[in-house]
mmCIF file of all heavy atoms in Angstrom:
data_model
loop_
_atom_site.group_PDB
_atom_site.id
_atom_site.type_symbol
_atom_site.label_atom_id
_atom_site.label_comp_id
_atom_site.label_asym_id
_atom_site.label_seq_id
_atom_site.Cartn_x
_atom_site.Cartn_y
_atom_site.Cartn_z
ATOM 1 N N THR A 3 -5.466 -23.469 54.714
ATOM 2 C CA THR A 3 -6.747 -23.209 55.360
ATOM 3 C C THR A 3 -7.021 -24.321 56.363
ATOM 4 O O THR A 3 -6.511 -25.437 56.223
ATOM 5 C CB THR A 3 -7.913 -23.128 54.352
ATOM 6 O OG1 THR A 3 -8.022 -24.380 53.675
ATOM 7 C CG2 THR A 3 -7.706 -22.006 53.353
ATOM 8 N N ILE A 4 -7.800 -23.975 57.366
ATOM 9 C CA ILE A 4 -8.212 -24.964 58.364
ATOM 10 C C ILE A 4 -9.711 -24.822 58.565
ATOM 11 O O ILE A 4 -10.303 -23.804 58.192
ATOM 12 C CB ILE A 4 -7.479 -24.761 59.718
ATOM 13 C CG1 ILE A 4 -7.767 -23.368 60.290
ATOM 14 C CG2 ILE A 4 -5.981 -24.988 59.569
ATOM 15 C CD1 ILE A 4 -7.385 -23.209 61.736
ATOM 16 N N ASP A 8 -18.029 -25.249 61.813
ATOM 17 C CA ASP A 8 -18.659 -24.960 60.516
ATOM 18 C C ASP A 8 -17.966 -23.844 59.738
ATOM 19 O O ASP A 8 -18.483 -23.385 58.731
ATOM 20 C CB ASP A 8 -20.126 -24.579 60.740
ATOM 21 C CG ASP A 8 -20.273 -23.389 61.682
ATOM 22 O OD1 ASP A 8 -19.315 -23.068 62.415
ATOM 23 O OD2 ASP A 8 -21.357 -22.778 61.692
ATOM 24 N N LYS A 9 -16.805 -23.391 60.184
ATOM 25 C CA LYS A 9 -16.135 -22.253 59.543
ATOM 26 C C LYS A 9 -14.768 -22.618 58.988
ATOM 27 O O LYS A 9 -14.032 -23.393 59.583
ATOM 28 C CB LYS A 9 -15.962 -21.105 60.549
ATOM 29 C CG LYS A 9 -17.279 -20.512 60.994
ATOM 30 C CD LYS A 9 -17.116 -19.088 61.409
ATOM 31 C CE LYS A 9 -18.426 -18.452 61.746
ATOM 32 N NZ LYS A 9 -19.461 -18.542 60.743
ATOM 33 N N ASP A 10 -14.449 -22.007 57.861
ATOM 34 C CA ASP A 10 -13.124 -22.152 57.266
ATOM 35 C C ASP A 10 -12.301 -20.911 57.579
ATOM 36 O O ASP A 10 -12.822 -19.787 57.583
ATOM 37 C CB ASP A 10 -13.240 -22.316 55.743
ATOM 38 C CG ASP A 10 -13.887 -23.643 55.363
ATOM 39 O OD1 ASP A 10 -13.592 -24.656 56.031
ATOM 40 O OD2 ASP A 10 -14.676 -23.659 54.400
ATOM 41 N N PHE A 11 -11.014 -21.117 57.834
ATOM 42 C CA PHE A 11 -10.101 -20.038 58.190
ATOM 43 C C PHE A 11 -8.843 -20.132 57.341
ATOM 44 O O PHE A 11 -8.410 -21.228 56.990
ATOM 45 C CB PHE A 11 -9.702 -20.140 59.666
ATOM 46 C CG PHE A 11 -10.833 -19.932 60.635
ATOM 47 C CD1 PHE A 11 -11.640 -20.996 61.018
ATOM 48 C CD2 PHE A 11 -11.091 -18.675 61.161
ATOM 49 C CE1 PHE A 11 -12.682 -20.809 61.919
ATOM 50 C CE2 PHE A 11 -12.130 -18.481 62.054
ATOM 51 C CZ PHE A 11 -12.932 -19.546 62.436
ATOM 52 N N GLU A 12 -8.261 -18.952 57.019
ATOM 53 C CA GLU A 12 -6.992 -18.896 56.305
ATOM 54 C C GLU A 12 -5.984 -18.141 57.160
ATOM 55 O O GLU A 12 -6.351 -17.336 58.011
ATOM 56 C CB GLU A 12 -7.163 -18.228 54.943
ATOM 57 C CG GLU A 12 -7.590 -16.779 55.030
ATOM 58 C CD GLU A 12 -7.920 -16.166 53.669
ATOM 59 O OE1 GLU A 12 -8.056 -16.913 52.689
ATOM 60 O OE2 GLU A 12 -8.052 -14.929 53.630
ATOM 61 N N ILE A 13 -4.720 -18.384 56.899
ATOM 62 C CA ILE A 13 -3.651 -17.789 57.709
ATOM 63 C C ILE A 13 -3.694 -16.255 57.597
ATOM 64 O O ILE A 13 -3.894 -15.712 56.523
ATOM 65 C CB ILE A 13 -2.279 -18.355 57.300
ATOM 66 C CG1 ILE A 13 -1.230 -18.118 58.383
ATOM 67 C CG2 ILE A 13 -1.807 -17.773 55.993
ATOM 68 C CD1 ILE A 13 -1.126 -19.214 59.363
ATOM 69 N N LEU A 14 -3.546 -15.588 58.719
ATOM 70 C CA LEU A 14 -3.455 -14.129 58.759
ATOM 71 C C LEU A 14 -2.069 -13.709 59.262
ATOM 72 O O LEU A 14 -1.396 -12.895 58.636
ATOM 73 C CB LEU A 14 -4.549 -13.535 59.654
ATOM 74 C CG LEU A 14 -4.495 -12.022 59.860
ATOM 75 C CD1 LEU A 14 -4.741 -11.283 58.552
ATOM 76 C CD2 LEU A 14 -5.521 -11.593 60.904
ATOM 77 N N THR A 77 -19.165 -15.815 67.298
ATOM 78 C CA THR A 77 -18.226 -14.941 66.592
ATOM 79 C C THR A 77 -18.495 -13.462 66.826
ATOM 80 O O THR A 77 -17.817 -12.615 66.273
ATOM 81 C CB THR A 77 -18.288 -15.201 65.070
ATOM 82 O OG1 THR A 77 -19.611 -14.901 64.609
ATOM 83 C CG2 THR A 77 -17.902 -16.626 64.742
ATOM 84 N N ASN A 154 -11.543 -5.653 60.523
ATOM 85 C CA ASN A 154 -12.632 -6.139 61.372
ATOM 86 C C ASN A 154 -13.135 -7.484 60.847
ATOM 87 O O ASN A 154 -14.193 -7.595 60.261
ATOM 88 C CB ASN A 154 -13.765 -5.109 61.419
ATOM 89 C CG ASN A 154 -14.778 -5.444 62.486
ATOM 90 O OD1 ASN A 154 -14.562 -6.337 63.299
ATOM 91 N ND2 ASN A 154 -15.890 -4.740 62.478
ATOM 92 N N GLU A 155 -12.301 -8.503 61.058
ATOM 93 C CA GLU A 155 -12.617 -9.866 60.645
ATOM 94 C C GLU A 155 -12.530 -10.774 61.861
ATOM 95 O O GLU A 155 -11.823 -10.467 62.818
ATOM 96 C CB GLU A 155 -11.614 -10.358 59.589
ATOM 97 C CG GLU A 155 -11.594 -9.509 58.337
ATOM 98 C CD GLU A 155 -10.489 -9.926 57.371
ATOM 99 O OE1 GLU A 155 -9.352 -10.145 57.827
ATOM 100 O OE2 GLU A 155 -10.774 -10.008 56.184
ATOM 101 N N PHE A 156 -13.225 -11.902 61.806
ATOM 102 C CA PHE A 156 -13.156 -12.845 62.919
ATOM 103 C C PHE A 156 -11.875 -13.659 62.820
ATOM 104 O O PHE A 156 -11.547 -14.187 61.759
ATOM 105 C CB PHE A 156 -14.375 -13.779 62.936
ATOM 106 C CG PHE A 156 -14.396 -14.639 64.156
ATOM 107 C CD1 PHE A 156 -14.723 -14.099 65.386
ATOM 108 C CD2 PHE A 156 -14.033 -15.974 64.092
ATOM 109 C CE1 PHE A 156 -14.698 -14.878 66.540
ATOM 110 C CE2 PHE A 156 -14.012 -16.763 65.231
ATOM 111 C CZ PHE A 156 -14.355 -16.211 66.453
ATOM 112 N N VAL A 157 -11.128 -13.712 63.932
ATOM 113 C CA VAL A 157 -9.840 -14.409 63.946
ATOM 114 C C VAL A 157 -9.810 -15.469 65.035
ATOM 115 O O VAL A 157 -10.535 -15.400 66.027
ATOM 116 C CB VAL A 157 -8.664 -13.418 64.127
ATOM 117 C CG1 VAL A 157 -8.493 -12.560 62.884
ATOM 118 C CG2 VAL A 157 -8.848 -12.542 65.355
ATOM 119 N N VAL A 158 -8.927 -16.447 64.818
ATOM 120 C CA VAL A 158 -8.805 -17.576 65.734
ATOM 121 C C VAL A 158 -7.343 -18.018 65.770
ATOM 122 O O VAL A 158 -6.599 -17.785 64.819
ATOM 123 C CB VAL A 158 -9.748 -18.736 65.296
ATOM 124 C CG1 VAL A 158 -9.302 -19.353 63.986
ATOM 125 C CG2 VAL A 158 -9.881 -19.792 66.372
ATOM 126 N N TYR A 164 -12.879 -20.005 68.600
ATOM 127 C CA TYR A 164 -14.217 -20.027 68.016
ATOM 128 C C TYR A 164 -14.985 -21.111 68.756
ATOM 129 O O TYR A 164 -14.633 -22.296 68.670
ATOM 130 C CB TYR A 164 -14.163 -20.319 66.511
ATOM 131 C CG TYR A 164 -15.520 -20.526 65.877
ATOM 132 C CD1 TYR A 164 -16.534 -19.591 66.061
ATOM 133 C CD2 TYR A 164 -15.791 -21.643 65.115
ATOM 134 C CE1 TYR A 164 -17.779 -19.785 65.493
ATOM 135 C CE2 TYR A 164 -17.036 -21.840 64.523
ATOM 136 C CZ TYR A 164 -18.027 -20.903 64.727
ATOM 137 O OH TYR A 164 -19.267 -21.091 64.159
ATOM 138 N N ILE A 174 -2.257 -17.268 63.689
ATOM 139 C CA ILE A 174 -3.572 -16.640 63.766
ATOM 140 C C ILE A 174 -4.213 -16.713 62.383
ATOM 141 O O ILE A 174 -3.582 -16.397 61.370
ATOM 142 C CB ILE A 174 -3.470 -15.180 64.255
ATOM 143 C CG1 ILE A 174 -2.964 -15.164 65.700
ATOM 144 C CG2 ILE A 174 -4.829 -14.478 64.159
ATOM 145 C CD1 ILE A 174 -2.718 -13.783 66.263
ATOM 146 N N TYR A 175 -5.465 -17.153 62.373
ATOM 147 C CA TYR A 175 -6.225 -17.353 61.141
ATOM 148 C C TYR A 175 -7.433 -16.415 61.123
ATOM 149 O O TYR A 175 -7.970 -16.079 62.171
ATOM 150 C CB TYR A 175 -6.736 -18.804 61.056
ATOM 151 C CG TYR A 175 -5.642 -19.828 60.965
ATOM 152 C CD1 TYR A 175 -4.967 -20.261 62.104
ATOM 153 C CD2 TYR A 175 -5.296 -20.387 59.741
ATOM 154 C CE1 TYR A 175 -3.948 -21.204 62.018
ATOM 155 C CE2 TYR A 175 -4.298 -21.348 59.634
ATOM 156 C CZ TYR A 175 -3.630 -21.746 60.790
ATOM 157 O OH TYR A 175 -2.624 -22.689 60.701
ATOM 158 N N ARG A 176 -7.861 -16.055 59.921
ATOM 159 C CA ARG A 176 -9.086 -15.268 59.780
ATOM 160 C C ARG A 176 -10.139 -16.101 59.052
ATOM 161 O O ARG A 176 -9.801 -16.937 58.195
ATOM 162 C CB ARG A 176 -8.819 -13.962 59.039
ATOM 163 C CG ARG A 176 -8.492 -14.138 57.590
ATOM 164 C CD ARG A 176 -8.450 -12.786 56.889
ATOM 165 N NE ARG A 176 -7.469 -12.849 55.805
ATOM 166 C CZ ARG A 176 -6.711 -11.857 55.423
ATOM 167 N NH1 ARG A 176 -6.816 -10.688 56.013
ATOM 168 N NH2 ARG A 176 -5.869 -11.996 54.446
ATOM 169 N N ALA A 177 -11.405 -15.838 59.382
ATOM 170 C CA ALA A 177 -12.497 -16.534 58.727
ATOM 171 C C ALA A 177 -12.489 -16.171 57.243
ATOM 172 O O ALA A 177 -12.304 -14.998 56.896
ATOM 173 C CB ALA A 177 -13.830 -16.167 59.364
ATOM 174 N N THR A 178 -12.658 -17.185 56.374
ATOM 175 C CA THR A 178 -12.632 -16.914 54.934
ATOM 176 C C THR A 178 -13.931 -16.266 54.464
ATOM 177 O O THR A 178 -13.944 -15.573 53.464
ATOM 178 C CB THR A 178 -12.351 -18.195 54.117
ATOM 179 O OG1 THR A 178 -13.345 -19.180 54.458
ATOM 180 C CG2 THR A 178 -10.965 -18.730 54.408
ATOM 181 N N ILE A 179 -14.993 -16.494 55.176
ATOM 182 C CA ILE A 179 -16.274 -15.815 54.898
ATOM 183 C C ILE A 179 -16.568 -14.990 56.149
ATOM 184 O O ILE A 179 -16.548 -15.534 57.251
ATOM 185 C CB ILE A 179 -17.403 -16.825 54.631
ATOM 186 C CG1 ILE A 179 -17.054 -17.664 53.396
ATOM 187 C CG2 ILE A 179 -18.736 -16.106 54.452
ATOM 188 C CD1 ILE A 179 -17.979 -18.823 53.166
ATOM 189 N N PRO A 180 -16.834 -13.688 56.012
ATOM 190 C CA PRO A 180 -17.054 -12.853 57.193
ATOM 191 C C PRO A 180 -18.040 -13.472 58.171
ATOM 192 O O PRO A 180 -19.068 -14.009 57.766
ATOM 193 C CB PRO A 180 -17.597 -11.547 56.619
ATOM 194 C CG PRO A 180 -17.064 -11.516 55.225
ATOM 195 C CD PRO A 180 -16.980 -12.956 54.780
ATOM 196 N N ALA A 181 -17.677 -13.382 59.455
ATOM 197 C CA ALA A 181 -18.500 -14.001 60.514
ATOM 198 C C ALA A 181 -19.751 -13.197 60.779
ATOM 199 O O ALA A 181 -19.780 -12.011 60.672
ATOM 200 C CB ALA A 181 -17.681 -14.109 61.783
#
Side-chain angles (χ1 to χ4, degrees):
T3 61
I4 60 166
D8 57 342
K9 294 207 175 307
D10 292 321
F11 295 87
E12 64 187 13
I13 198 91
L14 176 65
T77 62
N154 191 9
E155 300 174 315
F156 187 74
V157 291
V158 68
Y164 173 52
I174 294 175
Y175 296 81
R176 69 171 149 214
T178 56
I179 299 171

